[in-house]
Amino acid sequence: MERELTMEFARVTEAAALASARWVGRGDKEAADDAAVEAMRSLFDTIHMDGTVVIGEGEMDEAPMLYIGEKLGNGEQPELDIAVDPLEGTNLVAKGLPGAIAVMAITERYGLLHAPDMYMDKIAVGPQAAGCINLDAPVEENLNNVAKALKKQLRDLTVVILDRPRHYELISRVRASGCRIRLISDGDVAPAVACGIEGSGIDLMMGIGGGPEGVLAAAALRCIGGEMQGRLWPENEEDIKRAQALGIKNINKLLQLDDLVNTDDIFFAATGITEGPLLRGVTFNTDGATTHTLVMRGKTGTVRFIEAKHLFAKKPKYAIKGVF
């Protein structure tokens, strides 16, 4: 993947974050999502690449932009597969809650699992605990193994879990072990990635969340030597048919990191929209705004945090309506 694309992709998530940040706390998650999608799609048109959306806003008949199979860029080399979530945490933005991000992952062609829009049971850790988790093992065994790898007491381990009725038993068992829990209402990509970022305060992410979001997080964790395992969690026959249509024959397969992302030629970018453990949110001031973006490159293992100041008085060539 061209090294020069690094900043181009960072600009894409920045644009989506800036657009959706205008809707923080305004109670309209659809407007916030639409703004992020439009901004992200506009920036893709400026990039020299032959990209194909493999994880996006839905099928062609479900989404006008960033739909699965849509071609992005100007058609020039390199050929890339693209996974996007222009606004991960629509409810978080609508309610002004922490943790919303604009996120994308890019690989060489056929580098990402084409995950159907359904649930996935997941477990994720950073580099120090890689090789110490097993989705099929008892909760307590995973907690003990991760604590040992991190040289921590169980009481000092912090686990992120989505606050859902389906997780009540999981939450109860983690609490009984003595571990600390950080419950989140939405958006499990950022916490999964945060497992691999020193100083984030998060050690482990467990539970059932979105399948496409699992692939996005796996791309980031592969960049830095972390680990994720997953298993699709269909709710009905329609989910199973959707997975089969994407070429997934064994719906019950334990998906290792190589199954989710099978290449090191990865680029990952995420920009904070609202404040979170991984990224600061967009802040507006008199003449513009400030964004906080994480960019990773798998081939080199490089992790960059970029703080950008955007001056709205100086409109860029590709200005986004409602942002600049």
Side-chain angles (χ1 to χ4, degrees), residues 91-107:
N91 286 322
L92 301 177
V93 168
K95 297 177 181 179
L97 297 173
I101 61 173
V103 59
M104 60 187 288
I106 305 94
T107 70

Side-chain angles (χ1 to χ4, degrees), residues 116-131:
D117 187 12
M118 59 184 286
Y119 285 130
M120 178 186 289
D121 193 7
K122 297 175 272 190
I123 184 170
V125 292
Q128 290 180 292

Side-chain angles (χ1 to χ4, degrees), residues 18-34:
L18 285 165
S20 58
R22 294 289 194 188
W23 293 92
V24 170
R26 295 174 61 183
D28 192 337
K29 65 179 184 180
E30 291 184 3
D33 191 52
D34 288 346

Side-chain angles (χ1 to χ4, degrees), residues 8-303:
E8 294 300 312
F9 292 138
R11 289 173 59 240
V12 172
T13 56
E14 286 174 351
L18 285 165
S20 58
R22 294 289 194 188
W23 293 92
V24 170
R26 295 174 61 183
D28 192 337
K29 65 179 184 180
E30 291 184 3
D33 191 52
D34 288 346
V37 170
E38 183 177 351
M40 182 174 276
R41 182 63 181 82
S42 297
L43 264 292
F44 271 125
D45 284 337
T46 72
I47 299 177
H48 296 282
M49 66 174 183
D50 178 9
T52 303
V53 176
V54 297
I55 291 176
E57 292 295 286
E59 304 295 334
M60 186 184 300
D61 59 350
E62 298 173 350
M65 289 182 284
L66 299 179
Y67 54 83
I68 297 171
E70 184 177 11
K71 303 296 288 185
L72 302 176
N74 65 357
E76 297 179 1
Q77 294 294 315
E79 289 185 301
L80 305 173
D81 278 358
I82 301 172
V84 299
D85 195 340
L87 171 48
E88 218 264 317
T90 54
N91 286 322
L92 301 177
V93 168
K95 297 177 181 179
L97 297 173
I101 61 173
V103 59
M104 60 187 288
I106 305 94
T107 70
E108 59 187 344
R109 190 60 52 88
Y110 310 118
L112 298 169
L113 175 72
H114 295 193
D117 187 12
M118 59 184 286
Y119 285 130
M120 178 186 289
D121 193 7
K122 297 175 272 190
I123 184 170
V125 292
Q128 290 180 292
C132 297
I133 56 173
N134 183 344
L135 189 63
D136 289 335
V139 172
E140 296 78 9
E141 181 178 327
N142 280 310
L143 295 174
N144 278 292
N145 287 343
V146 171
K148 183 177 180 180
L150 298 180
K151 297 181 172 60
K152 288 186 173 184
Q153 298 293 321
L154 281 170
R155 65 189 180 191
D156 298 324
L157 206 67
T158 300
V159 184
V160 168
I161 304 172
L162 276 166
D163 190 3
R164 299 286 189 275
R166 62 179 178 266
H167 290 150
Y168 285 171
E169 181 183 353
L170 172 61
I171 292 168
S172 178
R173 292 173 70 175
V174 173
R175 283 175 173 163
S177 75
C179 293
R180 293 151 38 96
I181 296 180
R182 189 175 298 184
L183 295 176
I184 56 173
S185 62
D186 294 279
D188 64 358
V189 174
V193 177
C195 292
I197 303 299
E198 188 174 355
S200 71
I202 295 174
D203 301 306
L204 176 67
M205 192 277 291
M206 307 176 78
I208 298 165
E213 289 81 1
V215 176
L216 282 161
L221 289 168
R222 177 147 187 162
C223 285
I224 54 178
E227 184 180 6
M228 172 179 279
Q229 294 180 7
R231 177 178 284 113
L232 293 174
W233 200 73
E235 294 184 282
N236 48 47
E237 285 297 320
E238 187 64 30
D239 279 350
I240 295 175
K241 291 179 181 178
R242 186 179 295 113
Q244 291 172 339
L246 291 175
I248 298 173
K249 297 179 180 179
N250 182 3
I251 196 77
N252 296 313
K253 180 182 179 180
L254 175 62
L255 301 169
Q256 305 285 348
L257 190 62
D258 282 346
D259 297 309
L260 298 167
V261 185
N262 63 27
T263 177
D264 289 324
D265 195 2
I266 313 163
F267 179 90
F268 176 89
T271 301
I273 302 171
T274 59
E275 196 82 10
L278 181 65
L279 292 160
R280 298 191 300 275
V282 175
T283 56
F284 293 98
N285 49 50
T286 303
D287 56 358
T290 300
T291 55
H292 191 216
T293 300
L294 167 64
V295 290
M296 302 179 181
R297 190 162 181 250
K299 274 191 172 181
T300 60
T302 305
V303 178

